[in-house]
Amino acid sequence: MKNFFKTLIIALALTIISFNVFAESATGRPTSYKVTAFKLEYCAGASTLASCVDATTVGESSAGVEMDLVDSSSAVSFGTAGLLEPGKTYKFAQITIDREFKMTGTVTTSAATCNTGGTDGSEDAGGATSAGSISEQVVAPQDGTGNGDGLNTVSAVGGTGTAGTFTDDDGFLQVRWELSSPFTVSAGKIPSMSIAFDISAALVFNDGSGNGACDGNDFYPGAPTISNTFSY
């Protein structure tokens, strides 16, 4: 049961993708990717990628649980399968995480090798790139619209936001995804889950000036490809 939810949090918290199209973009695989999770819900009824309704909360922490998504063994359990409701069919899920990520990594552009370790990013600016030593850095998705139905920010855990919109000063990010197929919970059974994800492009370099140099606030969190199935 614990491994079930460890894998779930690891994969789904990574479904963050930014954002705007710049003059030059490149990606890299981070060597650390830390997120803080606050709430995990399964969505039933009339839920869509844009809206989680008739939800069952299976994991929640008021303080938040930080984990490094690069190393699955570092993740802690978050939630209990026993809270899923027998007879209920779940089609989507939603996780609420801190809007800020802590990342370490390198991206090779057309002009240079840029490292994390510059000035931290925020909702208003990317993380500054560095040509010096690599170190951990805060990065965050910027304010804006058009970010896809499965993403939005909220001002508080448990709140609601507008799908695709990252609002100024909202400190939390809601991420929704569709299960590979609808899943109905059977009484007295604990499901097994298969999930695959690729974080090879999870550190994103987006350069507004277009020169590919390590001279701007150009680092953002990116997204892997995720496949999520359930079975008994």
Side-chain angles (χ1 to χ4, degrees):
M1 184 183 300
K2 288 185 177 180
N3 287 335
F4 177 93
F5 282 100
K6 286 180 183 180
T7 308
L8 184 62
I9 294 299
I10 289 165
L12 296 173
L14 281 168
T15 318
I16 313 309
I17 190 163
S18 221
F19 310 116
N20 302 309
V21 177
F22 293 88
E24 179 175 346
S25 63
T27 60
R29 182 185 181 91
T31 54
S32 71
Y33 193 124
K34 297 177 182 177
V35 300
T36 302
F38 292 90
K39 189 174 186 179
L40 174 62
E41 303 164 272
Y42 279 105
C43 318
S47 294
T48 66
L49 193 60
S51 178
C52 178
V53 299
D54 194 14
T56 301
T57 299
V58 297
E60 192 165 18
S61 169
S62 59
V65 177
E66 184 180 81
M67 57 197 76
D68 187 347
L69 304 181
V70 170
D71 180 9
S72 61
S73 66
S74 74
V76 298
S77 64
F78 188 72
T80 173
L83 295 177
L84 294 173
E85 299 179 38
K88 198 168 187 175
T89 299
Y90 298 95
K91 301 177 182 179
F92 295 86
Q94 175 175 273
I95 187 170
T96 304
I97 60 176
D98 196 288
R99 187 167 172 174
E100 294 187 338
F101 300 73
K102 297 176 183 177
M103 298 182 69
T104 308
T106 295
V107 171
T108 300
T109 74
S110 63
T113 298
C114 298
N115 303 322
T116 59
T119 302
D120 287 341
S122 69
E123 63 188 82
D124 299 314
T129 55
S130 170
S133 300
I134 302 173
S135 61
E136 186 176 87
Q137 181 178 37
V138 172
V139 293
Q142 291 179 288
D143 300 333
T145 59
N147 292 294
D149 284 348
L151 300 168
N152 61 262
T153 60
V154 288
S155 60
V157 176
T160 58
T162 302
T165 300
F166 298 162
T167 302
D168 187 40
D169 294 330
D170 279 357
F172 302 93
L173 186 69
Q174 289 180 334
V175 182
R176 288 172 297 281
W177 65 96
E178 185 174 8
L179 303 183
S180 297
S181 59
F183 175 67
T184 302
V185 180
S186 298
K189 294 184 178 181
I190 298 176
S192 61
M193 183 186 71
S194 174
I195 193 158
F197 59 97
D198 178 5
I199 60 169
S200 60
L203 178 61
V204 175
F205 173 92
N206 275 329
D207 184 7
S209 64
N211 61 14
C214 311
D215 59 0
N217 298 330
D218 300 326
F219 276 141
Y220 303 89
T225 301
I226 298 172
S227 175
N228 186 190
T229 60
F230 296 86
S231 63
Y232 285 112

